[in-house]
Amino acid sequence: MAIFSSTRPKLLRRALAAGAAFLALTLTACGAADLPDGGGQDDRPVVLTTFTVLADIAQNVAGDKLRVESITKVGAEIHGYEPTPADIRKASKADLILDNGMGLEAWFGQFVQDVKAPHAVMSDGVESINITEDAYKDKPNPHAWMSPANVQIYVNNMVKAFTKLDPANASVYESNGAAYNATLQGVQDDLVADLAVLPENQRALVSCEGAFSYLARDAGLTEKYIWAVNAEQQATPQQISGVIEFVRSNKVPAVFCESTVSAAPMEQVVEATHASFGGTLYVDSLSAADGPVPTYLDLIRHDAKVITTALTGAPAGTQPGGTS
């Protein structure tokens, strides 16, 4: 599913049409700020994000002054997501919509075409790293949030957007943003220090999707992946053989895959090499509250620990497709 071209336009048009009909039947019967559980009214401005990682970051900046929700649910694959009528109804109630940008949400432009709420792009100001191969060559890698340093830019963009939306609480957003950015800097420092223990010949991060360019840059790792961006038709024989050759040539001790895609292609790499499966990494989605990465900070810390543990020769993680 190419993230830089129209994604299932016919299906999306049907969803938008169905959403319009659905709205006509339901909006007059339901207040624009009804609580999800029917527990009454919530008069706070509604901020809608495109995926769960953004929602968690936004909640840290918003505090209790804004109601933050995510369009996609935990575990959803963000690139080729297909909005539902319920998503359109939710967007019609939003006061502000936040998206990642950089081509991540191929469906987003058409989704917000008829939505009155303003939207802000969180990756504005990030120095992008371009994809270097496949159909997406020279396009920006959209996974900029995999660097806590970049997320500090996201936070600053949120502070500006929230202040414009709700000027009365500007000082709250500025204070929350500054506190969260200080925490992010600490996580950034810890991530770099944790991965600095890797010896030179083990400083390679091999994953299913090329989602770790920013983390690899921060930590001084060489990135290798099976496919550049999640797509419907993934893992050609040529892509798999290329990764197998890289792992063999560089004696890479462990390989990884992301939580939102099948690890079956990476199993072939494991079977063809002496590498172990190092564990499941999280990128495009948080886990449920009782899972390993219920927050963005948990996600970054989890990934750094899984990568470091596997590449330094500690006991291997779970089998491909499982969680660590």
PDB file of all heavy atoms in Angstrom, residues 11 21 26 44 67 77 86 131 145-146 171 190 196 254 258 261 265 272 278 292 298 307:
ATOM      1  N   LEU A  11     -12.653   2.570  -2.243  1.00  0.00           N
ATOM      2  CA  LEU A  11     -13.142   2.152  -0.934  1.00  0.00           C
ATOM      3  C   LEU A  11     -13.284   3.341  -0.006  1.00  0.00           C
ATOM      4  O   LEU A  11     -14.231   3.436   0.772  1.00  0.00           O
ATOM      5  CB  LEU A  11     -12.168   1.134  -0.331  1.00  0.00           C
ATOM      6  CG  LEU A  11     -12.136  -0.243  -1.007  1.00  0.00           C
ATOM      7  CD1 LEU A  11     -11.046  -1.110  -0.387  1.00  0.00           C
ATOM      8  CD2 LEU A  11     -13.486  -0.927  -0.875  1.00  0.00           C
ATOM      9  N   ALA A  21     -23.910   9.794   5.246  1.00  0.00           N
ATOM     10  CA  ALA A  21     -25.262   9.316   5.553  1.00  0.00           C
ATOM     11  C   ALA A  21     -25.406   9.015   7.031  1.00  0.00           C
ATOM     12  O   ALA A  21     -26.420   9.315   7.662  1.00  0.00           O
ATOM     13  CB  ALA A  21     -25.565   8.062   4.726  1.00  0.00           C
ATOM     14  N   THR A  26     -27.244  10.584  12.788  1.00  0.00           N
ATOM     15  CA  THR A  26     -26.830  10.496  14.186  1.00  0.00           C
ATOM     16  C   THR A  26     -26.443  11.801  14.856  1.00  0.00           C
ATOM     17  O   THR A  26     -26.593  11.945  16.064  1.00  0.00           O
ATOM     18  CB  THR A  26     -25.639   9.539  14.313  1.00  0.00           C
ATOM     19  OG1 THR A  26     -24.564  10.041  13.517  1.00  0.00           O
ATOM     20  CG2 THR A  26     -26.010   8.138  13.862  1.00  0.00           C
ATOM     21  N   ARG A  44     -14.601  20.056  27.151  1.00  0.00           N
ATOM     22  CA  ARG A  44     -13.240  20.377  26.720  1.00  0.00           C
ATOM     23  C   ARG A  44     -13.126  20.275  25.194  1.00  0.00           C
ATOM     24  O   ARG A  44     -13.804  19.453  24.568  1.00  0.00           O
ATOM     25  CB  ARG A  44     -12.235  19.415  27.351  1.00  0.00           C
ATOM     26  CG  ARG A  44     -12.130  19.521  28.866  1.00  0.00           C
ATOM     27  CD  ARG A  44     -11.196  18.440  29.398  1.00  0.00           C
ATOM     28  NE  ARG A  44     -11.727  17.090  29.117  1.00  0.00           N
ATOM     29  CZ  ARG A  44     -11.036  15.975  29.315  1.00  0.00           C
ATOM     30  NH1 ARG A  44      -9.790  16.029  29.766  1.00  0.00           N
ATOM     31  NH2 ARG A  44     -11.590  14.806  29.053  1.00  0.00           N
ATOM     32  N   ARG A  67      -9.496  17.083  25.456  1.00  0.00           N
ATOM     33  CA  ARG A  67      -9.863  15.678  25.319  1.00  0.00           C
ATOM     34  C   ARG A  67      -9.171  15.137  24.066  1.00  0.00           C
ATOM     35  O   ARG A  67      -9.450  15.573  22.945  1.00  0.00           O
ATOM     36  CB  ARG A  67     -11.375  15.556  25.194  1.00  0.00           C
ATOM     37  CG  ARG A  67     -11.888  14.135  24.970  1.00  0.00           C
ATOM     38  CD  ARG A  67     -13.403  14.158  24.974  1.00  0.00           C
ATOM     39  NE  ARG A  67     -13.974  13.048  24.226  1.00  0.00           N
ATOM     40  CZ  ARG A  67     -15.231  12.983  23.832  1.00  0.00           C
ATOM     41  NH1 ARG A  67     -16.043  13.989  24.123  1.00  0.00           N
ATOM     42  NH2 ARG A  67     -15.672  11.945  23.169  1.00  0.00           N
ATOM     43  N   GLU A  77      -2.385  -0.865  11.761  1.00  0.00           N
ATOM     44  CA  GLU A  77      -1.314  -0.540  10.827  1.00  0.00           C
ATOM     45  C   GLU A  77      -1.686   0.799  10.183  1.00  0.00           C
ATOM     46  O   GLU A  77      -2.689   0.907   9.493  1.00  0.00           O
ATOM     47  CB  GLU A  77      -1.196  -1.657   9.790  1.00  0.00           C
ATOM     48  CG  GLU A  77       0.216  -1.813   9.209  1.00  0.00           C
ATOM     49  CD  GLU A  77       0.675  -0.588   8.450  1.00  0.00           C
ATOM     50  OE1 GLU A  77       0.038  -0.244   7.454  1.00  0.00           O
ATOM     51  OE2 GLU A  77       1.656   0.038   8.900  1.00  0.00           O
ATOM     52  N   ALA A  86     -17.536   5.647  11.449  1.00  0.00           N
ATOM     53  CA  ALA A  86     -17.376   6.091  12.835  1.00  0.00           C
ATOM     54  C   ALA A  86     -16.212   7.070  12.964  1.00  0.00           C
ATOM     55  O   ALA A  86     -16.273   8.018  13.753  1.00  0.00           O
ATOM     56  CB  ALA A  86     -17.170   4.885  13.749  1.00  0.00           C
ATOM     57  N   ILE A 131      14.309   7.755   2.284  1.00  0.00           N
ATOM     58  CA  ILE A 131      14.391   6.334   1.974  1.00  0.00           C
ATOM     59  C   ILE A 131      15.326   6.166   0.784  1.00  0.00           C
ATOM     60  O   ILE A 131      15.308   6.983  -0.145  1.00  0.00           O
ATOM     61  CB  ILE A 131      12.985   5.774   1.676  1.00  0.00           C
ATOM     62  CG1 ILE A 131      12.100   5.915   2.930  1.00  0.00           C
ATOM     63  CG2 ILE A 131      13.045   4.328   1.225  1.00  0.00           C
ATOM     64  CD1 ILE A 131      10.638   5.637   2.680  1.00  0.00           C
ATOM     65  N   TRP A 145       9.123   9.964  14.696  1.00  0.00           N
ATOM     66  CA  TRP A 145       8.919   9.873  16.143  1.00  0.00           C
ATOM     67  C   TRP A 145       9.794   8.797  16.793  1.00  0.00           C
ATOM     68  O   TRP A 145       9.859   8.720  18.011  1.00  0.00           O
ATOM     69  CB  TRP A 145       7.448   9.607  16.453  1.00  0.00           C
ATOM     70  CG  TRP A 145       6.955   8.255  16.006  1.00  0.00           C
ATOM     71  CD1 TRP A 145       6.968   7.098  16.733  1.00  0.00           C
ATOM     72  CD2 TRP A 145       6.396   7.914  14.731  1.00  0.00           C
ATOM     73  NE1 TRP A 145       6.452   6.058  15.980  1.00  0.00           N
ATOM     74  CE2 TRP A 145       6.091   6.529  14.754  1.00  0.00           C
ATOM     75  CE3 TRP A 145       6.104   8.642  13.579  1.00  0.00           C
ATOM     76  CZ2 TRP A 145       5.525   5.875  13.656  1.00  0.00           C
ATOM     77  CZ3 TRP A 145       5.545   7.986  12.487  1.00  0.00           C
ATOM     78  CH2 TRP A 145       5.260   6.620  12.540  1.00  0.00           C
ATOM     79  N   MET A 146      10.478   7.979  15.991  1.00  0.00           N
ATOM     80  CA  MET A 146      11.357   6.975  16.574  1.00  0.00           C
ATOM     81  C   MET A 146      12.651   7.584  17.097  1.00  0.00           C
ATOM     82  O   MET A 146      13.522   6.867  17.583  1.00  0.00           O
ATOM     83  CB  MET A 146      11.640   5.868  15.558  1.00  0.00           C
ATOM     84  CG  MET A 146      10.423   5.018  15.240  1.00  0.00           C
ATOM     85  SD  MET A 146       9.602   4.328  16.712  1.00  0.00           S
ATOM     86  CE  MET A 146      10.865   3.210  17.317  1.00  0.00           C
ATOM     87  N   SER A 171      -0.353  28.820  29.177  1.00  0.00           N
ATOM     88  CA  SER A 171       0.731  28.581  30.137  1.00  0.00           C
ATOM     89  C   SER A 171       0.784  27.118  30.572  1.00  0.00           C
ATOM     90  O   SER A 171       1.864  26.582  30.854  1.00  0.00           O
ATOM     91  CB  SER A 171       0.560  29.478  31.364  1.00  0.00           C
ATOM     92  OG  SER A 171      -0.664  29.193  32.040  1.00  0.00           O
ATOM     93  N   ASP A 190      19.542   8.138  27.475  1.00  0.00           N
ATOM     94  CA  ASP A 190      19.603   6.742  27.916  1.00  0.00           C
ATOM     95  C   ASP A 190      19.670   5.793  26.715  1.00  0.00           C
ATOM     96  O   ASP A 190      20.403   4.795  26.742  1.00  0.00           O
ATOM     97  CB  ASP A 190      18.379   6.396  28.770  1.00  0.00           C
ATOM     98  CG  ASP A 190      18.401   7.073  30.128  1.00  0.00           C
ATOM     99  OD1 ASP A 190      19.474   7.562  30.532  1.00  0.00           O
ATOM    100  OD2 ASP A 190      17.334   7.124  30.773  1.00  0.00           O
ATOM    101  N   ALA A 196      25.224   2.261  22.992  1.00  0.00           N
ATOM    102  CA  ALA A 196      26.657   2.504  22.811  1.00  0.00           C
ATOM    103  C   ALA A 196      27.498   1.316  23.243  1.00  0.00           C
ATOM    104  O   ALA A 196      28.668   1.205  22.859  1.00  0.00           O
ATOM    105  CB  ALA A 196      27.078   3.753  23.584  1.00  0.00           C
ATOM    106  N   ALA A 254      21.380 -10.956  15.609  1.00  0.00           N
ATOM    107  CA  ALA A 254      19.937 -11.008  15.858  1.00  0.00           C
ATOM    108  C   ALA A 254      19.204 -10.074  14.907  1.00  0.00           C
ATOM    109  O   ALA A 254      19.739  -9.041  14.486  1.00  0.00           O
ATOM    110  CB  ALA A 254      19.622 -10.627  17.309  1.00  0.00           C
ATOM    111  N   GLU A 258       8.392  -5.837  13.498  1.00  0.00           N
ATOM    112  CA  GLU A 258       7.509  -4.908  14.194  1.00  0.00           C
ATOM    113  C   GLU A 258       6.192  -5.571  14.574  1.00  0.00           C
ATOM    114  O   GLU A 258       5.767  -6.546  13.962  1.00  0.00           O
ATOM    115  CB  GLU A 258       7.232  -3.686  13.307  1.00  0.00           C
ATOM    116  CG  GLU A 258       8.460  -2.882  12.962  1.00  0.00           C
ATOM    117  CD  GLU A 258       9.331  -3.534  11.907  1.00  0.00           C
ATOM    118  OE1 GLU A 258       8.822  -3.870  10.824  1.00  0.00           O
ATOM    119  OE2 GLU A 258      10.526  -3.757  12.189  1.00  0.00           O
ATOM    120  N   VAL A 261       3.056  -6.066  11.823  1.00  0.00           N
ATOM    121  CA  VAL A 261       3.187  -6.833  10.577  1.00  0.00           C
ATOM    122  C   VAL A 261       3.566  -8.278  10.894  1.00  0.00           C
ATOM    123  O   VAL A 261       4.029  -8.593  11.989  1.00  0.00           O
ATOM    124  CB  VAL A 261       4.249  -6.222   9.638  1.00  0.00           C
ATOM    125  CG1 VAL A 261       3.857  -4.818   9.226  1.00  0.00           C
ATOM    126  CG2 VAL A 261       5.624  -6.226  10.289  1.00  0.00           C
ATOM    127  N   PRO A 265       8.302 -13.337   6.940  1.00  0.00           N
ATOM    128  CA  PRO A 265       9.483 -13.152   6.088  1.00  0.00           C
ATOM    129  C   PRO A 265      10.792 -13.163   6.877  1.00  0.00           C
ATOM    130  O   PRO A 265      11.801 -13.691   6.398  1.00  0.00           O
ATOM    131  CB  PRO A 265       9.236 -11.788   5.432  1.00  0.00           C
ATOM    132  CG  PRO A 265       7.754 -11.616   5.469  1.00  0.00           C
ATOM    133  CD  PRO A 265       7.332 -12.237   6.766  1.00  0.00           C
ATOM    134  N   ALA A 272      17.802 -19.143   7.418  1.00  0.00           N
ATOM    135  CA  ALA A 272      18.887 -19.207   6.445  1.00  0.00           C
ATOM    136  C   ALA A 272      20.223 -18.702   6.984  1.00  0.00           C
ATOM    137  O   ALA A 272      21.240 -18.769   6.286  1.00  0.00           O
ATOM    138  CB  ALA A 272      18.508 -18.409   5.202  1.00  0.00           C
ATOM    139  N   GLY A 278      15.513 -11.565  17.595  1.00  0.00           N
ATOM    140  CA  GLY A 278      15.812 -10.800  18.806  1.00  0.00           C
ATOM    141  C   GLY A 278      14.609 -10.330  19.578  1.00  0.00           C
ATOM    142  O   GLY A 278      14.708 -10.025  20.769  1.00  0.00           O
ATOM    143  N   PRO A 292       3.221  -4.270  26.820  1.00  0.00           N
ATOM    144  CA  PRO A 292       4.592  -3.826  27.094  1.00  0.00           C
ATOM    145  C   PRO A 292       4.854  -2.353  26.797  1.00  0.00           C
ATOM    146  O   PRO A 292       5.803  -1.784  27.338  1.00  0.00           O
ATOM    147  CB  PRO A 292       5.432  -4.724  26.184  1.00  0.00           C
ATOM    148  CG  PRO A 292       4.515  -5.093  25.065  1.00  0.00           C
ATOM    149  CD  PRO A 292       3.149  -5.202  25.684  1.00  0.00           C
ATOM    150  N   ASP A 298       7.433   4.304  27.008  1.00  0.00           N
ATOM    151  CA  ASP A 298       7.607   2.863  27.153  1.00  0.00           C
ATOM    152  C   ASP A 298       8.065   2.240  25.839  1.00  0.00           C
ATOM    153  O   ASP A 298       8.897   1.323  25.824  1.00  0.00           O
ATOM    154  CB  ASP A 298       6.302   2.199  27.603  1.00  0.00           C
ATOM    155  CG  ASP A 298       5.909   2.567  29.019  1.00  0.00           C
ATOM    156  OD1 ASP A 298       6.809   2.754  29.862  1.00  0.00           O
ATOM    157  OD2 ASP A 298       4.693   2.669  29.278  1.00  0.00           O
ATOM    158  N   ILE A 307      16.655  -4.367  21.515  1.00  0.00           N
ATOM    159  CA  ILE A 307      17.754  -4.322  20.555  1.00  0.00           C
ATOM    160  C   ILE A 307      19.091  -4.596  21.245  1.00  0.00           C
ATOM    161  O   ILE A 307      19.890  -5.424  20.789  1.00  0.00           O
ATOM    162  CB  ILE A 307      17.783  -2.958  19.839  1.00  0.00           C
ATOM    163  CG1 ILE A 307      16.542  -2.804  18.949  1.00  0.00           C
ATOM    164  CG2 ILE A 307      19.062  -2.805  19.004  1.00  0.00           C
ATOM    165  CD1 ILE A 307      16.305  -1.377  18.472  1.00  0.00           C
TER     166      ILE A 307
END
